[in-house]
Amino acid sequence: MIKSVIFDLDGVLVSTDELHYQAWKKLAAELGITGFNREDNEKQRGVSRMASLEVVLAKGDRQYTNEEKAALAEKKNNYYKEMLKDLDERAALPGAANTLKLLRERGILVGIGSASKNTPVILEKTGMLPYIDKVSCGLDTMKSKPDPEVFLIAAKKLGTPAGECLVVEDSAAGIQAAKAGGMKSLGVGPYYNTLGADVCAASLAAEIDWDKLLAM
Ligand code: BG6
Ligand code: MG
């Protein structure tokens, strides 16, 4: 039986995956990297800021020192934070708000397991905070998905054994992390049927048999 559902944030509850892409694209253009595209962006789903930067730099032909990389990651984050200024409830992905309400009504605990260090501000601006019991994010972790750390921290904060947690993810790295942590998984998003999740659905607005899912 599932007692807690742990949601990834970007691309699962909120459309901020698109803003990440726009911010990386702006940085890439400044670096003269013209080949960075949506296909590359798929490799950034779920992984940390620094791992996402490596995906961009791999499309160029220059080597960067660790200091330069840190400065570039900060620059991208500043572009991203500027885009987040306009964020509100409209950024919630279809079905997200209803799903959070449904789980609350059923007495299921809800956690966040996201690589993003911007998680707190996004939850606040989109009005989702009241529906979230515990948050585990890039501010809590040392390792990036597919390592299960972010989900194990969420499970611990929720007080639920890993085997009674369901992870909802839009990235292959995230589904691998859920499996590595011994958790059940629901894959959603543009690549939902290729993620290797236990159950998959195009989005949270799709017909999802929550009775069956929560009985897993
Ligand atoms: C993940 C995104 O949720 O967070 C990645 O899928 C992103 O693309 C990562 O790089 C880190 O986000 P942030 O906000 O800490 O730069
Ligand atoms: Mg995601």
Side-chain angles (χ1 to χ4, degrees):
M1 289 287 280
I2 300 298
K3 291 208 176 72
S4 289
V5 177
I6 304 171
F7 290 90
D8 171 53
L9 186 65
D10 301 313
V12 170
L13 292 176
V14 187
S15 59
T16 38
D17 49 338
E18 177 62 22
L19 300 183
H20 275 296
Y21 175 59
Q22 297 302 337
W24 284 122
K25 187 98 187 136
K26 186 168 173 177
L27 183 79
E30 275 178 20
L31 297 175
I33 300 172
T34 50
F36 174 73
N37 57 30
R38 285 189 185 272
E39 201 181 319
D40 303 310
N41 177 235
E42 289 312 315
K43 296 182 210 134
Q44 297 177 311
R45 261 181 213 274
V47 302
S48 68
R49 192 180 303 165
M50 294 313 284
S52 294
L53 173 67
E54 294 296 346
V55 175
V56 176
L57 298 184
K59 297 293 283 194
D61 46 21
R62 239 202 82 179
Q63 299 297 313
Y64 294 85
T65 65
N66 286 342
E67 288 73 28
E68 285 172 324
K69 285 181 185 176
L72 291 174
E74 193 184 335
K75 200 169 195 192
K76 178 267 172 180
N77 192 46
N78 287 335
Y79 295 148
Y80 181 60
K81 283 200 295 193
E82 195 56 39
M83 295 172 184
L84 291 181
K85 278 191 181 154
D86 295 330
L87 204 74
D88 60 24
E89 310 80 56
R90 289 170 298 175
L93 283 168
N98 282 346
T99 303
L100 292 176
K101 283 182 195 142
L102 173 146
L103 294 173
R104 175 63 35 108
E105 279 160 21
R106 292 189 180 209
I108 301 292
L109 292 174
V110 172
I112 296 291
S114 167
S116 175
K117 294 180 174 167
N118 291 294
T119 294
V121 65
I122 293 171
L123 290 175
E124 213 264 308
K125 281 180 154 285
T126 53
M128 288 184 184
L129 212 44
Y131 295 95
I132 310 297
D133 296 295
K134 297 287 173 195
V135 175
S136 166
C137 71
L139 298 169
D140 301 283
T141 56
M142 299 295 291
K143 297 174 205 153
S144 182
K145 298 169 189 174
D147 190 281
E149 185 186 25
V150 74
F151 294 136
L152 293 174
I153 291 173
K156 196 169 177 201
K157 287 187 180 185
L158 290 160
T160 306
E164 293 170 22
C165 290
L166 172 75
V167 165
V168 188
E169 259 290 350
D170 68 322
S171 73
I175 295 295
Q176 285 166 33
K179 285 186 190 267
M183 299 173 183
K184 310 283 192 313
S185 58
L186 166 64
V188 296
Y191 297 91
Y192 71 101
N193 52 6
T194 67
L195 302 176
D198 295 319
V199 178
C200 56
S203 81
L204 289 172
E207 215 161 291
I208 295 172
D209 187 345
W210 281 100
D211 288 330
K212 199 168 158 196
L213 258 185
L214 298 174
M216 274 205 300

